[in-house]
Amino acid sequence: HPHPHPHPHPHPHPGPAPPAPTPPMPAPVPAPPGPDWPVPPVPTPPTPPGPDGPMPPTPPGPVQEPFPTPGSCILWGDPHIKTFDHSRADFYGEGIKWIVKSRQIHIQARYLATPFSNGLAATDTLAFGGPFMKGHVFKVGPMETGQITWDDKPVLTEFPSWFDAAGLGSITYTWEGTLVDERMKDQPRHILHIVLPDGVYAEVTRWSNHVNMMLTMPPQQGGQDGHCGNFNAEAADDSTEGIRQRLGLAVPRSESMFRRYQ
């Protein structure tokens, strides 16, 4: 009898044929950044260093955010106003009125009666000026009785069109935009998208004899006031009477951005 071999049999056993040689693999595609090359994180505001111990506690009181949260004010009709603080004010008299008055931003409106408002005023023309406009004044009036001007010269005379606001921003004139007065939904739309410095953005809709506006901007350091309210997070002080008491009935002639005062 053969003795059992202590090792595997030296002769190969018959088995499956060796696999056919595979074609060479293409050069590997470089892998995306991995642990050795981490993806750079999304930049975040730097955290103040605190190597000497925990950061001191935040002092009490309100802390001014670098970019305050913007709010919106809406003017429509004859004219009704939803203020930045979500109050409601209504002004029916004619004249030049402050919409926003702050150190940097001046927005005024000329309120005039229209053939359709039964003697009540509507927003006839809006004017944007003040230090943030670097000496320029942009105005928007209605389709039939007004025009669009930059420093009192007509602009955006074609529809649709676009205007470079002297490097300060841009103004687009189109039919697209926010309709703030649903009663006008069946009328042709002519809407200006006004992008200005300091986070000021306005959509002004031109109708036949008046304009409507939705104005979006952050609250101003140093305060502000106007028919859009004082933007102090308190709705109660933005009533029609409260705003009148603070501002008076009209913009003084010396501060008016309109050549024709009435």
Side-chain angles (χ1 to χ4, degrees):
H1 299 286
H3 299 285
H5 203 285
H7 302 290
H9 201 284
H11 303 292
H13 293 282
T22 54
M25 294 293 290
V29 178
D36 298 330
W37 296 93
V39 178
V42 177
T44 54
T47 303
D52 301 326
M55 292 294 293
T58 303
V63 176
Q64 180 65 48
E65 299 177 63
F67 299 103
T69 303
S72 292
C73 173
I74 298 173
L75 288 79
W76 78 99
D78 46 3
H80 310 296
I81 299 171
K82 179 182 176 185
T83 72
F84 290 116
D85 293 327
H86 310 289
S87 183
R88 166 76 180 259
D90 302 285
F91 298 92
Y92 302 119
E94 295 187 320
I96 310 300
K97 314 291 184 179
W98 280 112
I99 303 304
V100 173
K101 181 183 183 182
S102 73
R103 284 198 300 252
Q104 292 293 320
I105 298 170
H106 298 170
I107 303 175
Q108 296 175 359
R110 180 167 59 214
Y111 293 169
L112 286 178
T114 75
F116 310 102
S117 57
N118 298 318
L120 302 178
T123 306
D124 173 76
T125 302
L126 291 161
F128 299 79
F132 90 125
M133 291 284 282
K134 310 293 186 189
H136 297 286
V137 176
F138 178 66
K139 296 178 187 171
V140 185
M143 297 293 296
E144 293 184 5
T145 56
Q147 54 186 346
I148 306 169
T149 63
W150 182 266
D151 296 336
D152 292 319
K153 297 179 176 62
V155 295
L156 297 163
T157 54
E158 298 181 1
F159 182 80
S161 54
W162 181 85
F163 179 71
D164 176 7
L168 298 173
S170 65
I171 303 165
T172 305
Y173 189 26
T174 179
W175 54 87
E176 297 178 339
T178 304
L179 190 66
V180 300
D181 187 351
E182 281 296 317
R183 296 175 303 172
M184 310 294 285
K185 63 183 178 182
D186 296 326
Q187 303 296 318
R189 302 179 190 184
H190 299 81
I191 302 177
L192 292 121
H193 298 256
I194 304 164
V195 181
L196 295 174
D198 298 349
V200 174
Y201 172 70
E203 287 187 34
V204 177
T205 307
R206 304 177 75 205
W207 302 112
S208 297
N209 300 102
H210 74 288
V211 299
N212 292 338
M213 175 172 69
M214 182 169 73
L215 172 67
T216 302
M217 59 180 282
Q220 296 298 291
Q221 293 187 0
Q224 67 190 75
D225 215 330
H227 282 191
C228 277
N230 56 15
F231 210 169
N232 65 349
E234 294 182 18
D237 58 9
D238 282 345
S239 64
T240 305
E241 190 54 37
I243 292 172
R244 276 205 185 109
Q245 287 179 356
R246 296 194 302 265
L247 287 171
L249 288 177
V251 174
R253 187 184 294 267
S254 61
E255 299 177 11
S256 173
M257 290 188 279
F258 293 89
R259 288 180 175 177
R260 182 160 61 93
Y261 188 65
Q262 289 294 343

